[in-house]
Amino acid sequence: MAEDDAPPPIPHSVAEGDDDAVASKELEDARAAYWAAHAEKGALSSDVAALKALLDDADLGPDDIYLPLKDECVSLDTGEYTYEVCILDRAAQISNKDQSRQNLGSFAGLSSNKAANDGDDDVVVHKYQHGAKCWNGPERSLTAYFVCADTLSIASITEPEKCEYVAQMAGPFACAPIIAEEKDNANRPLPRHDDDDDVDVDEHHRRAEHDEL
């Protein structure tokens, strides 16, 4: 190659500056990636710790059937108020006029009651207690009666006593007692009838006669 065709030489100081800039950018990117991974790890660790505490301390029902729906909220607009129930968490009454909220209680326990709510079907009962105090009345509370359904919903809200609310609701976890009862019935041995004993005796006599022949 002719000497005139060679590329012009790069000044030593400029080349060093370019290399330093590239190295600095790579170092900056590596640090950013490290801290992003560090933050993600911290968030995942917090999620795992919270889930472990939830599984250890919370009553999630048999086989943790409430876990997928915990803290899921469902609401019902009744005109003057919207009522909100958050599973295993809290209940609230929200004014449709000014959006003010009244605490109807925090989750206090659950049970299964076949005869509850004047019905014959299995229902699951959730109690929300120690809500905001009523004027010249008790602390607000809500009792929710759940029947078996594929989705979570509120059918109605009533106030049979002052500041004591009753919610008629539906949810998939209310199907568990029915499923358990069906499995129990399926595994239960069939009852033995007196006719079965007569058949066994007749068969015994026939075999004895056959042996004599």
Side-chain angles (χ1 to χ4, degrees), residues 24 59 106 114 152 158 192:
S24 178
D59 183 359
S106 299
K114 192 175 185 64
L152 191 63
T158 58
R192 188 178 181 85

Side-chain angles (χ1 to χ4, degrees), residues 3-213:
E3 184 174 348
D4 292 339
D5 295 331
I10 299 175
H12 185 65
S13 60
V14 175
E16 283 186 348
D18 289 346
D19 290 342
D20 290 345
V22 171
S24 178
K25 180 65 168 61
E26 290 177 347
L27 180 59
E28 183 181 339
D29 291 344
R31 284 174 175 168
Y34 169 80
W35 287 114
H38 184 74
E40 184 177 1
K41 179 184 177 182
L44 290 174
S45 297
S46 297
D47 291 344
V48 170
L51 182 57
K52 185 177 185 303
L54 174 66
L55 293 173
D56 290 343
D57 300 335
D59 183 359
L60 297 174
D63 299 323
D64 296 331
I65 58 174
Y66 288 100
L67 184 58
L69 292 175
K70 187 183 183 304
D71 298 332
E72 182 170 336
C73 300
V74 62
S75 61
L76 176 69
D77 186 341
T78 62
E80 185 177 0
Y81 298 103
T82 292
Y83 291 87
E84 181 182 72
V85 177
C86 298
I87 302 303
L88 305 189
D89 186 15
R90 56 186 168 74
Q93 179 194 66
I94 306 165
S95 170
N96 288 336
K97 181 178 180 180
D98 59 12
Q99 298 303 303
S100 61
R101 298 174 69 94
Q102 289 287 354
N103 177 15
L104 300 186
S106 299
F107 179 72
L110 58 89
S111 63
S112 180
N113 189 341
K114 192 175 185 64
N117 205 30
D118 300 325
D120 296 327
D121 295 332
D122 283 299
V123 295
V124 172
V125 184
H126 287 198
K127 292 185 178 295
Y128 297 82
Q129 298 177 342
H130 306 301
K133 195 176 188 305
C134 266
W135 176 258
N136 289 333
E139 293 178 331
R140 289 176 171 85
S141 64
L142 181 142
T143 301
Y145 295 93
F146 290 87
V147 295
C148 176
D150 292 336
T151 57
L152 191 63
S153 64
I154 305 176
S156 66
I157 299 276
T158 58
E159 188 181 357
E161 300 290 340
K162 184 177 181 179
C163 296
E164 296 179 1
Y165 301 87
V166 173
Q168 305 297 334
M169 301 186 65
F173 44 78
C175 303
I178 299 174
I179 295 172
E181 183 176 354
E182 289 175 349
K183 287 183 177 179
D184 183 60
N185 291 336
N187 294 329
R188 188 174 300 161
L190 294 175
R192 188 178 181 85
H193 301 289
D194 293 338
D195 293 344
D196 295 337
D197 294 334
D198 295 339
V199 171
D200 290 342
V201 171
D202 292 340
E203 180 67 21
H204 175 73
H205 286 313
R206 282 196 294 270
R207 290 180 179 176
E209 291 174 356
H210 181 271
D211 292 340
E212 291 177 358
L213 295 175

